[in-house]
Amino acid sequence: MIHFDPQGKIFTLGNERFRYVFHINAAGVPAKLYFGRPISPITENEVRAASNLAGDVYAYLDTKTNEEHIFDNPYFNGQTSAVEVPPHNSFDKRNSLIAINHDDDSSVTDFRYVRHEITKGKPTFADMPYIRDEDCTAETLMVELKDSRDEIYLRCFYSVFPDVDVLIRHNEIINKTGHDIHLTRAYSLCLDLQSNDYSLISLHGTYASDREVEEQDVFHNEIVLEENAGAKGFYHNPMAMLRKHDASNDHGEVIGIGLVYSSNFKISVMGTQMETIRVLAGMSDYDFYAPIAPNETFVTPEAFLVYSSQGIDKATHGFHDLIRNHLLRKVPEGMEKIVLLNSWEGNMFDFDTDKIIASLNAAKRMGVNLFVLDDGWFRNNDTYGLGDWKLDTEKIDLKKAIDHAHALGIRFGLWVEPEQINFNSDLYREHPEYALFDPRIDHPTTLRHQFVLDMTNPEARDNVFAKIEAIFAEYELDYCKWDFNRMLTEAYSKTLDRRYQHEIYHRFVLGSYKMLDRFVKRFPNVLLETCSGGGGRFDMGMLFYSHQIWASDETDVVPRSSIQYSTNLFYPMKVIGAHVSARKLLSIKEKGALAMFGTFGYELDPCGFGQSKFDEVKIANKRFLDNHDTIFEGDYYPLMDPYKTNFVSWMCVDKSKDSAVIYFMNYRHINWRARFLKLRGLDPKKTYRNNLDGKAYPGDFYMEVGLNLSDGMPSLTPYVIELKAK
Ligand code: GLA
């Protein structure tokens, strides 16, 4: 998978479906030659042809001899060539990968090749999430470079897998200068493309509209997807795709870009005057000025590229398979097929022991196997309690409720928000320094009556962890919803060494990762769902620890359909938290048609349910459970785009192509445009029976003619259609 040709100093990386090729040029600069589908090996002969872009010749003055040199590879041009490590404040005026403020305040940063290593497996990190390689099938290339002026080394890591079409990158910067240096930028990945014939697909959002797809053309300026909220970022998601203009869902070149990181990030796509593109991805340089002490190393988070020569869907499968095969932890034994009931939307803070017992009894009738007591077990409103984590024993007899659940064969889980602190809490009164904000500000921002806990402070982390640990140990809980309801503002730690204050967003999330790591090691059998004011922290950093993420506090089916449609583009359904809620519109069965395309459950008060409601629940559960494996492990195909049509539709096909399940909803009464819904991903040669007209048709009929929906598809009514191979 990784090959080195010493003649041309050419590195070829990839698997059977893609190649990534660069070489070390005579100036010691790693210069990109090719990224695309597999082609014959590029050898020394082809290097010139693969790397040329017309322009000025690169020349330099050797100050030791006072001689001017014309660089002996005239086809290398600092302004235009495709490179792996673009320098800072140097010959290449496009954006840089790494920028260092040296001890004399020079910012010139320009790394050149020293050596490389190719090894089996891939790197892991002690304090950050990473793509896993448990079966040791990956290979890794490490290229070491040295700064052209100082003893600063850069190690660039590249890993590839045989089973996913992904190139994983991260960088390590090692300070051997004997004095402090400061990083002002430390991205993880650079991709230079020789054409700007692409558009950028990304996700934007806000509360209750958590992820929405948008697409924009790349011209001659920079498009920046950047988050600086610290950890709760709705506005942009750290995933994107570049679509070649002639690419569609099932053909053409699409390049995915992603990060395994939950704090401030940046994905920059810069169109240049030469009609090339430079992509950079990594942690954001917003308020970033990170010291590296002598002999210390700074490690960037992992970023990656997904390659598809077969359109958007294959790129989506690349993201999904990477997450499923190489990121997620195993779900605890016995919890593979969960139907949960969460108390939040049904009760909010308003419950007591009797109410929970009654809910559990109803849950039993519903066929629920996990009950989640959301916020409210330690308080009656959201103005107090975070940080103290003291069970409100007058409100709820937790032991009684849990024993009752267990007697009914129902597992029990709790909601927590460990990284936050109410100012109305004993913890804040005793330790005001545990709240993260600049103490010289008279009016620090409160959001939801709370501050973020200073996760850079080990003492604050230990304090809160001990309380959460005590509860989970005492009550033998099976599930945890780990929330995070506000962003970082006036970020300043009262205890962190002042030299690290401009690295605080990164250090904060490292603290969060530490706490999550401790939790999952202490409670490996607890199913963990992360959450952030709905789905504000929906990223692969979280998914290294949590099994699933609550997708959005918006649970009405119409807006939820587009949120899930957008989320599906990058994230597999087995991580997308989706519940049937108490919202007025639509029936339980109809709402279940959407919720089943995620980690399924209910979020309503079932206590007043009559028989007809229980009957609907039965249907919704059965549909979810029957199609569970296809939805969780199969391949996803979008069918109708809710942003471009009045319909929303998608389908999942299991990997053996024996079964498929389709979601369809019409936003309008008239259904002409979607009356032949063309399916995707089926085996053209297999015959599938559908449960809409009950008839069987060949796979190619469904894909070329379509599934005929003209017979009564009322508006705003979600449909589930199942296909089974005969
Ligand atoms: C957030 C979550 C909700 C719920 C509340 C509880 O808003 O997104 O699902 O847990 O917090 O306060």
Side-chain angles (χ1 to χ4, degrees), residues 288-306:
F288 182 71
Y289 188 70
I292 315 181
N295 294 320
E296 281 191 356
T297 300
F298 187 94
V299 180
T300 73
E302 280 188 338
F304 60 89
L305 298 170
V306 175

Side-chain angles (χ1 to χ4, degrees), residues 207 344 349 374-375 379 415 448 481 483 485 531 533-534 550 553 603:
Y207 178 72
W344 181 244
F349 292 102
D374 207 283
D375 200 351
R379 60 180 180 177
W415 176 95
R448 218 191 186 211
K481 180 170 168 189
D483 210 337
N485 273 308
C531 172
W550 175 232
D553 278 359
E603 192 153 335

Side-chain angles (χ1 to χ4, degrees), residues 484-541:
F484 187 84
N485 273 308
R486 64 154 288 176
M487 62 177 164
L488 278 64
T489 58
E490 298 96 21
Y492 184 90
S493 166
K494 299 165 189 86
T495 51
L496 185 66
D497 186 331
R498 61 181 288 183
R499 52 197 243 112
Y500 297 119
Q501 294 290 346
H502 293 282
E503 204 190 318
I504 197 154
Y505 289 94
H506 181 55
R507 285 186 175 246
F508 180 90
V509 83
L510 292 184
S512 300
Y513 290 149
K514 275 204 173 73
M515 208 199 253
L516 278 158
D517 188 56
R518 222 168 141 184
F519 185 85
V520 304
K521 286 189 174 133
R522 176 71 178 81
F523 301 107
N525 295 324
V526 167
L527 186 77
L528 183 62
E529 174 156 8
T530 46
C531 172
S532 176
R537 196 163 59 172
F538 210 110
D539 61 62
M540 287 176 62

Side-chain angles (χ1 to χ4, degrees), residues 301-322:
E302 280 188 338
F304 60 89
L305 298 170
V306 175
Y307 186 77
S308 163
S309 58
Q310 292 170 57
I312 295 170
D313 296 347
K314 268 278 173 296
T316 292
H317 299 167
F319 281 97
H320 288 191
D321 289 342
L322 181 69

